[in-house]
Amino acid sequence: MVVEVCANSYLSALNAQRAGAHRIELCSELVIGGITPSYGLIKRVVQSVSIPVFALIRPRSGNFTYSDDEFEIMKYDIAVCKEMGCAGIVSGLLNQDNSIDFERTKTLVDLERPLPFTFHRAFDWVTDPRMALQQLIELGVDRVLTSGQERSSEEGIALLSELKAYAEGRIGILPGGGINPNNVHRFKQAGFTEIHVSASTTEVVNEPPRIPMNSKKFFNETLAVYSDKNSIAAIVSAFK
């Protein structure tokens, strides 16, 4: 079995290789589902590990329906990741109705060739997973990272197995979400040859700060977070 580790830092990437993982999906900010890592992190990891490094291309948290400007950022990020030696790309785009954004996904797949393309867990939001899988096959996507449209891939193993049977030989199904030492045998028994894990742990490194730097109100994937033009203008005006 190929074990892909979702690594959110340089240390995580090193630990993945040291532990015998076969591939890394490199990202930042797992607490919000992962976003594109910094160029410095990508470069350092690619230089330091010998296993393939796939970069997550996701310009922000929240939904997977992107503006034209965000789409241009994604294209630029893919070009830079290729230049820095990434072995593959992980990304995904949806329309407002949560169907596959076929044309713009095709643009990204074409742009990142000849590298392999993984369509990430945006797939778990699509309303018709079977139709969506067929579209991704038509697009030439190499694999789909999915929990089987459940909170964990263990809960979604029935759909995962169904998708695997349909996709056989045409696209890979990569189970991910909640896979751990206690349930990994279920995926091996079901015939999956790849799994995706974060194997995350936590460590207390300092006391709670007097002034926190995070905001609980932003940890909601139904929100679009951006800087308000009117508020900025009011601040600039007041400062003058």
Side-chain angles (χ1 to χ4, degrees):
M1 295 178 70
V2 172
V3 177
E4 175 182 278
V5 172
C6 183
N8 67 331
S9 67
Y10 181 66
L11 176 60
S12 294
L14 292 184
N15 286 344
Q17 175 161 281
R18 290 166 178 165
H22 307 93
R23 186 171 64 231
I24 289 169
E25 180 201 321
L26 188 63
C27 69
S28 293
E29 303 300 340
L30 274 178
V31 70
I32 53 175
I35 56 175
T36 304
S38 73
Y39 295 162
L41 177 58
I42 295 170
K43 184 174 182 178
R44 183 66 172 167
V45 170
V46 169
Q47 290 176 338
S48 302
V49 303
S50 57
I51 59 178
V53 177
F54 282 37
L56 175 64
I57 304 299
R58 186 186 182 205
R60 57 162 172 76
S61 62
N63 65 20
F64 305 99
T65 304
Y66 300 115
S67 68
D68 291 340
D69 291 326
E70 289 169 332
F71 184 55
E72 290 302 313
I73 291 170
M74 296 171 78
K75 292 194 291 184
Y76 180 79
D77 283 340
I78 286 177
V80 172
C81 287
K82 290 176 70 176
E83 291 175 4
M84 289 195 292
C86 290
I89 295 299
V90 181
S91 194
L93 304 94
L94 301 178
N95 296 310
Q96 288 188 345
D97 63 356
N98 285 337
S99 61
I100 299 293
D101 187 336
F102 192 92
E103 292 303 321
R104 294 207 289 182
T105 299
K106 183 179 187 303
T107 297
L108 295 192
V109 172
D110 291 343
L111 179 63
E112 60 87 48
R113 290 303 186 210
L115 302 182
F117 188 101
T118 298
F119 194 93
H120 59 38
R121 287 191 60 194
F123 185 86
D124 288 323
W125 284 20
V126 301
T127 54
D128 188 336
R130 296 154 191 84
M131 178 184 294
L133 186 63
Q134 179 58 43
Q135 289 180 308
L136 296 179
I137 291 171
E138 294 171 10
L139 286 168
V141 169
D142 296 275
R143 65 177 58 83
V144 181
L145 170 61
T146 170
S147 64
Q149 298 203 322
E150 298 290 348
R151 291 186 177 272
S152 74
S153 50
E154 186 173 19
E155 295 176 57
I157 198 165
L159 178 59
L160 285 166
S161 297
E162 180 183 334
L163 296 174
K164 176 181 175 295
Y166 178 81
E168 199 69 47
R170 297 184 293 170
I171 190 171
I173 302 298
L174 178 62
I179 299 178
N180 58 61
N182 297 320
N183 61 21
V184 66
H185 66 279
R186 296 197 61 190
F187 301 91
K188 185 173 183 179
Q189 291 170 353
F192 290 98
T193 58
E194 297 183 310
I195 57 171
H196 173 96
V197 304
S198 67
S200 298
T201 189
T202 58
E203 178 184 359
V204 177
V205 295
N206 56 262
E207 294 296 322
R210 183 176 66 86
I211 301 175
M213 295 296 160
N214 66 322
S215 175
K216 292 182 179 179
K217 71 179 181 179
F218 293 149
F219 291 161
N220 186 330
E221 61 191 4
T222 67
L223 300 177
V225 180
Y226 60 95
S227 299
D228 180 72
K229 180 176 67 175
N230 294 332
S231 296
I232 296 171
I235 292 169
V236 171
S237 177
F239 191 62
K240 285 182 178 179

PDB file of all heavy atoms in Angstrom, residues 31-67:
ATOM      1  N   VAL A  31      -6.112  23.123  10.106  1.00  0.00           N
ATOM      2  CA  VAL A  31      -7.310  23.436  10.886  1.00  0.00           C
ATOM      3  C   VAL A  31      -8.429  23.968  10.004  1.00  0.00           C
ATOM      4  O   VAL A  31      -9.612  23.856  10.344  1.00  0.00           O
ATOM      5  CB  VAL A  31      -6.978  24.441  12.007  1.00  0.00           C
ATOM      6  CG1 VAL A  31      -6.663  25.824  11.437  1.00  0.00           C
ATOM      7  CG2 VAL A  31      -8.112  24.525  13.024  1.00  0.00           C
ATOM      8  N   ILE A  32      -8.100  24.526   8.847  1.00  0.00           N
ATOM      9  CA  ILE A  32      -9.110  25.027   7.912  1.00  0.00           C
ATOM     10  C   ILE A  32      -9.166  24.166   6.653  1.00  0.00           C
ATOM     11  O   ILE A  32      -9.644  24.598   5.612  1.00  0.00           O
ATOM     12  CB  ILE A  32      -8.867  26.507   7.546  1.00  0.00           C
ATOM     13  CG1 ILE A  32      -7.431  26.733   7.055  1.00  0.00           C
ATOM     14  CG2 ILE A  32      -9.172  27.392   8.732  1.00  0.00           C
ATOM     15  CD1 ILE A  32      -7.164  28.145   6.561  1.00  0.00           C
ATOM     16  N   GLY A  33      -8.662  22.944   6.754  1.00  0.00           N
ATOM     17  CA  GLY A  33      -8.741  22.024   5.623  1.00  0.00           C
ATOM     18  C   GLY A  33      -7.563  22.089   4.681  1.00  0.00           C
ATOM     19  O   GLY A  33      -7.531  21.347   3.698  1.00  0.00           O
ATOM     20  N   GLY A  34      -6.595  22.953   4.970  1.00  0.00           N
ATOM     21  CA  GLY A  34      -5.397  23.051   4.150  1.00  0.00           C
ATOM     22  C   GLY A  34      -5.497  24.133   3.096  1.00  0.00           C
ATOM     23  O   GLY A  34      -6.532  24.296   2.437  1.00  0.00           O
ATOM     24  N   ILE A  35      -4.413  24.897   2.941  1.00  0.00           N
ATOM     25  CA  ILE A  35      -4.286  25.873   1.863  1.00  0.00           C
ATOM     26  C   ILE A  35      -2.880  25.733   1.269  1.00  0.00           C
ATOM     27  O   ILE A  35      -2.034  25.005   1.786  1.00  0.00           O
ATOM     28  CB  ILE A  35      -4.514  27.318   2.354  1.00  0.00           C
ATOM     29  CG1 ILE A  35      -3.552  27.660   3.508  1.00  0.00           C
ATOM     30  CG2 ILE A  35      -5.959  27.525   2.762  1.00  0.00           C
ATOM     31  CD1 ILE A  35      -3.632  29.106   3.961  1.00  0.00           C
ATOM     32  N   THR A  36      -2.643  26.421   0.163  1.00  0.00           N
ATOM     33  CA  THR A  36      -1.357  26.340  -0.523  1.00  0.00           C
ATOM     34  C   THR A  36      -0.214  26.732   0.417  1.00  0.00           C
ATOM     35  O   THR A  36      -0.260  27.787   1.047  1.00  0.00           O
ATOM     36  CB  THR A  36      -1.348  27.269  -1.746  1.00  0.00           C
ATOM     37  OG1 THR A  36      -2.445  26.927  -2.595  1.00  0.00           O
ATOM     38  CG2 THR A  36      -0.045  27.124  -2.526  1.00  0.00           C
ATOM     39  N   PRO A  37       0.808  25.899   0.524  1.00  0.00           N
ATOM     40  CA  PRO A  37       1.950  26.235   1.381  1.00  0.00           C
ATOM     41  C   PRO A  37       2.795  27.342   0.764  1.00  0.00           C
ATOM     42  O   PRO A  37       2.707  27.624  -0.435  1.00  0.00           O
ATOM     43  CB  PRO A  37       2.729  24.919   1.456  1.00  0.00           C
ATOM     44  CG  PRO A  37       2.376  24.207   0.186  1.00  0.00           C
ATOM     45  CD  PRO A  37       0.968  24.588  -0.129  1.00  0.00           C
ATOM     46  N   SER A  38       3.630  27.951   1.578  1.00  0.00           N
ATOM     47  CA  SER A  38       4.500  29.023   1.082  1.00  0.00           C
ATOM     48  C   SER A  38       5.555  28.455   0.146  1.00  0.00           C
ATOM     49  O   SER A  38       5.910  27.270   0.200  1.00  0.00           O
ATOM     50  CB  SER A  38       5.177  29.734   2.253  1.00  0.00           C
ATOM     51  OG  SER A  38       6.184  28.901   2.825  1.00  0.00           O
ATOM     52  N   TYR A  39       6.062  29.301  -0.717  1.00  0.00           N
ATOM     53  CA  TYR A  39       7.113  28.860  -1.642  1.00  0.00           C
ATOM     54  C   TYR A  39       8.353  28.401  -0.889  1.00  0.00           C
ATOM     55  O   TYR A  39       9.025  27.451  -1.283  1.00  0.00           O
ATOM     56  CB  TYR A  39       7.485  29.987  -2.607  1.00  0.00           C
ATOM     57  CG  TYR A  39       6.377  30.403  -3.536  1.00  0.00           C
ATOM     58  CD1 TYR A  39       6.420  31.626  -4.194  1.00  0.00           C
ATOM     59  CD2 TYR A  39       5.271  29.576  -3.753  1.00  0.00           C
ATOM     60  CE1 TYR A  39       5.400  32.019  -5.051  1.00  0.00           C
ATOM     61  CE2 TYR A  39       4.253  29.961  -4.603  1.00  0.00           C
ATOM     62  CZ  TYR A  39       4.324  31.188  -5.246  1.00  0.00           C
ATOM     63  OH  TYR A  39       3.306  31.571  -6.091  1.00  0.00           O
ATOM     64  N   GLY A  40       8.664  29.108   0.213  1.00  0.00           N
ATOM     65  CA  GLY A  40       9.825  28.716   1.003  1.00  0.00           C
ATOM     66  C   GLY A  40       9.685  27.322   1.571  1.00  0.00           C
ATOM     67  O   GLY A  40      10.636  26.532   1.559  1.00  0.00           O
ATOM     68  N   LEU A  41       8.496  26.990   2.081  1.00  0.00           N
ATOM     69  CA  LEU A  41       8.257  25.662   2.625  1.00  0.00           C
ATOM     70  C   LEU A  41       8.348  24.607   1.529  1.00  0.00           C
ATOM     71  O   LEU A  41       8.968  23.549   1.719  1.00  0.00           O
ATOM     72  CB  LEU A  41       6.886  25.608   3.299  1.00  0.00           C
ATOM     73  CG  LEU A  41       6.453  24.254   3.853  1.00  0.00           C
ATOM     74  CD1 LEU A  41       7.453  23.735   4.882  1.00  0.00           C
ATOM     75  CD2 LEU A  41       5.056  24.336   4.462  1.00  0.00           C
ATOM     76  N   ILE A  42       7.740  24.879   0.382  1.00  0.00           N
ATOM     77  CA  ILE A  42       7.796  23.925  -0.726  1.00  0.00           C
ATOM     78  C   ILE A  42       9.242  23.654  -1.130  1.00  0.00           C
ATOM     79  O   ILE A  42       9.663  22.498  -1.259  1.00  0.00           O
ATOM     80  CB  ILE A  42       6.999  24.451  -1.939  1.00  0.00           C
ATOM     81  CG1 ILE A  42       5.514  24.556  -1.608  1.00  0.00           C
ATOM     82  CG2 ILE A  42       7.200  23.530  -3.150  1.00  0.00           C
ATOM     83  CD1 ILE A  42       4.699  25.289  -2.665  1.00  0.00           C
ATOM     84  N   LYS A  43      10.007  24.715  -1.313  1.00  0.00           N
ATOM     85  CA  LYS A  43      11.389  24.558  -1.755  1.00  0.00           C
ATOM     86  C   LYS A  43      12.209  23.761  -0.750  1.00  0.00           C
ATOM     87  O   LYS A  43      12.965  22.847  -1.118  1.00  0.00           O
ATOM     88  CB  LYS A  43      12.026  25.931  -1.976  1.00  0.00           C
ATOM     89  CG  LYS A  43      13.443  25.863  -2.531  1.00  0.00           C
ATOM     90  CD  LYS A  43      13.965  27.250  -2.869  1.00  0.00           C
ATOM     91  CE  LYS A  43      15.369  27.173  -3.476  1.00  0.00           C
ATOM     92  NZ  LYS A  43      15.879  28.520  -3.849  1.00  0.00           N
ATOM     93  N   ARG A  44      12.053  24.082   0.524  1.00  0.00           N
ATOM     94  CA  ARG A  44      12.824  23.407   1.561  1.00  0.00           C
ATOM     95  C   ARG A  44      12.481  21.933   1.639  1.00  0.00           C
ATOM     96  O   ARG A  44      13.365  21.069   1.761  1.00  0.00           O
ATOM     97  CB  ARG A  44      12.565  24.087   2.910  1.00  0.00           C
ATOM     98  CG  ARG A  44      13.360  23.512   4.060  1.00  0.00           C
ATOM     99  CD  ARG A  44      14.840  23.758   3.909  1.00  0.00           C
ATOM    100  NE  ARG A  44      15.557  23.365   5.111  1.00  0.00           N
ATOM    101  CZ  ARG A  44      16.876  23.238   5.184  1.00  0.00           C
ATOM    102  NH1 ARG A  44      17.611  23.479   4.118  1.00  0.00           N
ATOM    103  NH2 ARG A  44      17.457  22.882   6.312  1.00  0.00           N
ATOM    104  N   VAL A  45      11.186  21.610   1.555  1.00  0.00           N
ATOM    105  CA  VAL A  45      10.770  20.210   1.639  1.00  0.00           C
ATOM    106  C   VAL A  45      11.245  19.432   0.418  1.00  0.00           C
ATOM    107  O   VAL A  45      11.786  18.322   0.548  1.00  0.00           O
ATOM    108  CB  VAL A  45       9.238  20.111   1.798  1.00  0.00           C
ATOM    109  CG1 VAL A  45       8.776  18.666   1.636  1.00  0.00           C
ATOM    110  CG2 VAL A  45       8.815  20.646   3.154  1.00  0.00           C
ATOM    111  N   VAL A  46      11.065  19.990  -0.764  1.00  0.00           N
ATOM    112  CA  VAL A  46      11.488  19.298  -1.992  1.00  0.00           C
ATOM    113  C   VAL A  46      12.985  19.013  -1.958  1.00  0.00           C
ATOM    114  O   VAL A  46      13.445  17.955  -2.400  1.00  0.00           O
ATOM    115  CB  VAL A  46      11.111  20.131  -3.236  1.00  0.00           C
ATOM    116  CG1 VAL A  46      11.778  19.576  -4.488  1.00  0.00           C
ATOM    117  CG2 VAL A  46       9.596  20.149  -3.423  1.00  0.00           C
ATOM    118  N   GLN A  47      13.764  19.949  -1.410  1.00  0.00           N
ATOM    119  CA  GLN A  47      15.211  19.772  -1.332  1.00  0.00           C
ATOM    120  C   GLN A  47      15.617  18.757  -0.268  1.00  0.00           C
ATOM    121  O   GLN A  47      16.693  18.166  -0.358  1.00  0.00           O
ATOM    122  CB  GLN A  47      15.894  21.110  -1.034  1.00  0.00           C
ATOM    123  CG  GLN A  47      15.856  22.110  -2.172  1.00  0.00           C
ATOM    124  CD  GLN A  47      16.470  23.446  -1.777  1.00  0.00           C
ATOM    125  OE1 GLN A  47      16.569  23.785  -0.599  1.00  0.00           O
ATOM    126  NE2 GLN A  47      16.869  24.227  -2.771  1.00  0.00           N
ATOM    127  N   SER A  48      14.760  18.538   0.719  1.00  0.00           N
ATOM    128  CA  SER A  48      15.164  17.762   1.887  1.00  0.00           C
ATOM    129  C   SER A  48      14.686  16.320   1.901  1.00  0.00           C
ATOM    130  O   SER A  48      15.229  15.509   2.653  1.00  0.00           O
ATOM    131  CB  SER A  48      14.676  18.457   3.164  1.00  0.00           C
ATOM    132  OG  SER A  48      15.190  19.766   3.257  1.00  0.00           O
ATOM    133  N   VAL A  49      13.659  16.001   1.143  1.00  0.00           N
ATOM    134  CA  VAL A  49      13.125  14.640   1.164  1.00  0.00           C
ATOM    135  C   VAL A  49      13.319  13.990  -0.196  1.00  0.00           C
ATOM    136  O   VAL A  49      13.462  14.668  -1.222  1.00  0.00           O
ATOM    137  CB  VAL A  49      11.627  14.602   1.553  1.00  0.00           C
ATOM    138  CG1 VAL A  49      11.405  15.255   2.906  1.00  0.00           C
ATOM    139  CG2 VAL A  49      10.757  15.248   0.489  1.00  0.00           C
ATOM    140  N   SER A  50      13.321  12.665  -0.194  1.00  0.00           N
ATOM    141  CA  SER A  50      13.510  11.927  -1.447  1.00  0.00           C
ATOM    142  C   SER A  50      12.208  11.341  -1.976  1.00  0.00           C
ATOM    143  O   SER A  50      12.169  10.849  -3.096  1.00  0.00           O
ATOM    144  CB  SER A  50      14.533  10.802  -1.235  1.00  0.00           C
ATOM    145  OG  SER A  50      14.115   9.937  -0.183  1.00  0.00           O
ATOM    146  N   ILE A  51      11.142  11.369  -1.176  1.00  0.00           N
ATOM    147  CA  ILE A  51       9.861  10.858  -1.651  1.00  0.00           C
ATOM    148  C   ILE A  51       9.113  11.969  -2.396  1.00  0.00           C
ATOM    149  O   ILE A  51       9.384  13.156  -2.192  1.00  0.00           O
ATOM    150  CB  ILE A  51       9.008  10.302  -0.485  1.00  0.00           C
ATOM    151  CG1 ILE A  51       8.748  11.386   0.568  1.00  0.00           C
ATOM    152  CG2 ILE A  51       9.684   9.093   0.137  1.00  0.00           C
ATOM    153  CD1 ILE A  51       7.878  10.916   1.730  1.00  0.00           C
ATOM    154  N   PRO A  52       8.174  11.617  -3.275  1.00  0.00           N
ATOM    155  CA  PRO A  52       7.463  12.630  -4.066  1.00  0.00           C
ATOM    156  C   PRO A  52       6.679  13.604  -3.189  1.00  0.00           C
ATOM    157  O   PRO A  52       6.067  13.209  -2.194  1.00  0.00           O
ATOM    158  CB  PRO A  52       6.513  11.802  -4.939  1.00  0.00           C
ATOM    159  CG  PRO A  52       7.121  10.440  -4.981  1.00  0.00           C
ATOM    160  CD  PRO A  52       7.786  10.243  -3.652  1.00  0.00           C
ATOM    161  N   VAL A  53       6.717  14.862  -3.586  1.00  0.00           N
ATOM    162  CA  VAL A  53       5.993  15.918  -2.878  1.00  0.00           C
ATOM    163  C   VAL A  53       4.939  16.499  -3.813  1.00  0.00           C
ATOM    164  O   VAL A  53       5.263  17.057  -4.858  1.00  0.00           O
ATOM    165  CB  VAL A  53       6.935  17.040  -2.406  1.00  0.00           C
ATOM    166  CG1 VAL A  53       6.140  18.166  -1.741  1.00  0.00           C
ATOM    167  CG2 VAL A  53       7.995  16.494  -1.454  1.00  0.00           C
ATOM    168  N   PHE A  54       3.669  16.328  -3.434  1.00  0.00           N
ATOM    169  CA  PHE A  54       2.562  16.938  -4.157  1.00  0.00           C
ATOM    170  C   PHE A  54       2.160  18.198  -3.393  1.00  0.00           C
ATOM    171  O   PHE A  54       2.021  18.172  -2.169  1.00  0.00           O
ATOM    172  CB  PHE A  54       1.359  15.998  -4.227  1.00  0.00           C
ATOM    173  CG  PHE A  54       1.467  14.906  -5.250  1.00  0.00           C
ATOM    174  CD1 PHE A  54       2.676  14.273  -5.506  1.00  0.00           C
ATOM    175  CD2 PHE A  54       0.357  14.496  -5.959  1.00  0.00           C
ATOM    176  CE1 PHE A  54       2.785  13.260  -6.433  1.00  0.00           C
ATOM    177  CE2 PHE A  54       0.444  13.481  -6.899  1.00  0.00           C
ATOM    178  CZ  PHE A  54       1.656  12.859  -7.142  1.00  0.00           C
ATOM    179  N   ALA A  55       1.962  19.300  -4.101  1.00  0.00           N
ATOM    180  CA  ALA A  55       1.586  20.558  -3.460  1.00  0.00           C
ATOM    181  C   ALA A  55       0.087  20.792  -3.568  1.00  0.00           C
ATOM    182  O   ALA A  55      -0.504  20.604  -4.632  1.00  0.00           O
ATOM    183  CB  ALA A  55       2.333  21.723  -4.100  1.00  0.00           C
ATOM    184  N   LEU A  56      -0.522  21.188  -2.462  1.00  0.00           N
ATOM    185  CA  LEU A  56      -1.926  21.562  -2.477  1.00  0.00           C
ATOM    186  C   LEU A  56      -2.068  22.953  -3.084  1.00  0.00           C
ATOM    187  O   LEU A  56      -1.397  23.898  -2.665  1.00  0.00           O
ATOM    188  CB  LEU A  56      -2.489  21.568  -1.047  1.00  0.00           C
ATOM    189  CG  LEU A  56      -3.931  22.072  -0.902  1.00  0.00           C
ATOM    190  CD1 LEU A  56      -4.908  21.161  -1.635  1.00  0.00           C
ATOM    191  CD2 LEU A  56      -4.304  22.209   0.566  1.00  0.00           C
ATOM    192  N   ILE A  57      -2.958  23.073  -4.062  1.00  0.00           N
ATOM    193  CA  ILE A  57      -3.247  24.369  -4.674  1.00  0.00           C
ATOM    194  C   ILE A  57      -4.664  24.755  -4.268  1.00  0.00           C
ATOM    195  O   ILE A  57      -5.656  24.336  -4.858  1.00  0.00           O
ATOM    196  CB  ILE A  57      -3.113  24.315  -6.213  1.00  0.00           C
ATOM    197  CG1 ILE A  57      -1.715  23.815  -6.616  1.00  0.00           C
ATOM    198  CG2 ILE A  57      -3.394  25.685  -6.815  1.00  0.00           C
ATOM    199  CD1 ILE A  57      -0.573  24.688  -6.133  1.00  0.00           C
ATOM    200  N   ARG A  58      -4.748  25.536  -3.206  1.00  0.00           N
ATOM    201  CA  ARG A  58      -6.023  26.027  -2.676  1.00  0.00           C
ATOM    202  C   ARG A  58      -5.764  27.418  -2.111  1.00  0.00           C
ATOM    203  O   ARG A  58      -5.107  27.555  -1.073  1.00  0.00           O
ATOM    204  CB  ARG A  58      -6.555  25.077  -1.599  1.00  0.00           C
ATOM    205  CG  ARG A  58      -7.951  25.430  -1.097  1.00  0.00           C
ATOM    206  CD  ARG A  58      -8.367  24.546   0.068  1.00  0.00           C
ATOM    207  NE  ARG A  58      -9.724  24.863   0.515  1.00  0.00           N
ATOM    208  CZ  ARG A  58     -10.169  24.632   1.746  1.00  0.00           C
ATOM    209  NH1 ARG A  58      -9.364  24.096   2.668  1.00  0.00           N
ATOM    210  NH2 ARG A  58     -11.412  24.926   2.077  1.00  0.00           N
ATOM    211  N   PRO A  59      -6.246  28.465  -2.760  1.00  0.00           N
ATOM    212  CA  PRO A  59      -5.823  29.823  -2.407  1.00  0.00           C
ATOM    213  C   PRO A  59      -6.387  30.360  -1.108  1.00  0.00           C
ATOM    214  O   PRO A  59      -5.890  31.360  -0.586  1.00  0.00           O
ATOM    215  CB  PRO A  59      -6.312  30.660  -3.595  1.00  0.00           C
ATOM    216  CG  PRO A  59      -7.487  29.900  -4.128  1.00  0.00           C
ATOM    217  CD  PRO A  59      -7.132  28.450  -3.939  1.00  0.00           C
ATOM    218  N   ARG A  60      -7.426  29.712  -0.584  1.00  0.00           N
ATOM    219  CA  ARG A  60      -8.048  30.183   0.661  1.00  0.00           C
ATOM    220  C   ARG A  60      -8.896  29.053   1.244  1.00  0.00           C
ATOM    221  O   ARG A  60      -9.150  28.039   0.587  1.00  0.00           O
ATOM    222  CB  ARG A  60      -8.943  31.396   0.400  1.00  0.00           C
ATOM    223  CG  ARG A  60     -10.027  31.132  -0.637  1.00  0.00           C
ATOM    224  CD  ARG A  60     -11.154  32.130  -0.584  1.00  0.00           C
ATOM    225  NE  ARG A  60     -12.072  31.987  -1.688  1.00  0.00           N
ATOM    226  CZ  ARG A  60     -12.997  31.028  -1.804  1.00  0.00           C
ATOM    227  NH1 ARG A  60     -13.137  30.129  -0.838  1.00  0.00           N
ATOM    228  NH2 ARG A  60     -13.797  30.958  -2.852  1.00  0.00           N
ATOM    229  N   SER A  61      -9.340  29.269   2.468  1.00  0.00           N
ATOM    230  CA  SER A  61     -10.252  28.314   3.082  1.00  0.00           C
ATOM    231  C   SER A  61     -11.674  28.590   2.603  1.00  0.00           C
ATOM    232  O   SER A  61     -11.927  29.501   1.812  1.00  0.00           O
ATOM    233  CB  SER A  61     -10.180  28.437   4.604  1.00  0.00           C
ATOM    234  OG  SER A  61     -10.595  29.732   5.006  1.00  0.00           O
ATOM    235  N   GLY A  62     -12.623  27.794   3.100  1.00  0.00           N
ATOM    236  CA  GLY A  62     -14.012  27.994   2.722  1.00  0.00           C
ATOM    237  C   GLY A  62     -14.419  27.078   1.583  1.00  0.00           C
ATOM    238  O   GLY A  62     -13.977  25.925   1.508  1.00  0.00           O
ATOM    239  N   ASN A  63     -15.239  27.594   0.678  1.00  0.00           N
ATOM    240  CA  ASN A  63     -15.739  26.737  -0.392  1.00  0.00           C
ATOM    241  C   ASN A  63     -14.708  26.583  -1.507  1.00  0.00           C
ATOM    242  O   ASN A  63     -13.571  27.074  -1.420  1.00  0.00           O
ATOM    243  CB  ASN A  63     -17.080  27.267  -0.928  1.00  0.00           C
ATOM    244  CG  ASN A  63     -16.942  28.621  -1.609  1.00  0.00           C
ATOM    245  OD1 ASN A  63     -15.862  29.038  -2.024  1.00  0.00           O
ATOM    246  ND2 ASN A  63     -18.057  29.326  -1.736  1.00  0.00           N
ATOM    247  N   PHE A  64     -15.109  25.903  -2.583  1.00  0.00           N
ATOM    248  CA  PHE A  64     -14.194  25.607  -3.691  1.00  0.00           C
ATOM    249  C   PHE A  64     -14.660  26.266  -4.983  1.00  0.00           C
ATOM    250  O   PHE A  64     -14.324  25.829  -6.075  1.00  0.00           O
ATOM    251  CB  PHE A  64     -14.081  24.093  -3.872  1.00  0.00           C
ATOM    252  CG  PHE A  64     -13.669  23.377  -2.611  1.00  0.00           C
ATOM    253  CD1 PHE A  64     -14.606  22.759  -1.805  1.00  0.00           C
ATOM    254  CD2 PHE A  64     -12.335  23.358  -2.222  1.00  0.00           C
ATOM    255  CE1 PHE A  64     -14.231  22.117  -0.632  1.00  0.00           C
ATOM    256  CE2 PHE A  64     -11.948  22.727  -1.054  1.00  0.00           C
ATOM    257  CZ  PHE A  64     -12.892  22.105  -0.257  1.00  0.00           C
ATOM    258  N   THR A  65     -15.440  27.333  -4.839  1.00  0.00           N
ATOM    259  CA  THR A  65     -15.910  28.114  -5.976  1.00  0.00           C
ATOM    260  C   THR A  65     -15.119  29.408  -5.994  1.00  0.00           C
ATOM    261  O   THR A  65     -15.277  30.254  -5.108  1.00  0.00           O
ATOM    262  CB  THR A  65     -17.414  28.408  -5.859  1.00  0.00           C
ATOM    263  OG1 THR A  65     -18.124  27.171  -5.732  1.00  0.00           O
ATOM    264  CG2 THR A  65     -17.921  29.137  -7.092  1.00  0.00           C
ATOM    265  N   TYR A  66     -14.243  29.553  -6.978  1.00  0.00           N
ATOM    266  CA  TYR A  66     -13.254  30.621  -6.947  1.00  0.00           C
ATOM    267  C   TYR A  66     -13.542  31.719  -7.958  1.00  0.00           C
ATOM    268  O   TYR A  66     -14.076  31.468  -9.041  1.00  0.00           O
ATOM    269  CB  TYR A  66     -11.860  30.036  -7.201  1.00  0.00           C
ATOM    270  CG  TYR A  66     -11.456  29.008  -6.167  1.00  0.00           C
ATOM    271  CD1 TYR A  66     -11.267  27.671  -6.511  1.00  0.00           C
ATOM    272  CD2 TYR A  66     -11.292  29.375  -4.836  1.00  0.00           C
ATOM    273  CE1 TYR A  66     -10.911  26.731  -5.551  1.00  0.00           C
ATOM    274  CE2 TYR A  66     -10.933  28.444  -3.873  1.00  0.00           C
ATOM    275  CZ  TYR A  66     -10.748  27.124  -4.237  1.00  0.00           C
ATOM    276  OH  TYR A  66     -10.407  26.199  -3.279  1.00  0.00           O
ATOM    277  N   SER A  67     -13.154  32.921  -7.596  1.00  0.00           N
ATOM    278  CA  SER A  67     -13.277  34.066  -8.499  1.00  0.00           C
ATOM    279  C   SER A  67     -12.226  33.961  -9.606  1.00  0.00           C
ATOM    280  O   SER A  67     -11.298  33.143  -9.537  1.00  0.00           O
ATOM    281  CB  SER A  67     -13.071  35.365  -7.715  1.00  0.00           C
ATOM    282  OG  SER A  67     -11.713  35.464  -7.284  1.00  0.00           O
TER     283      SER A  67
END
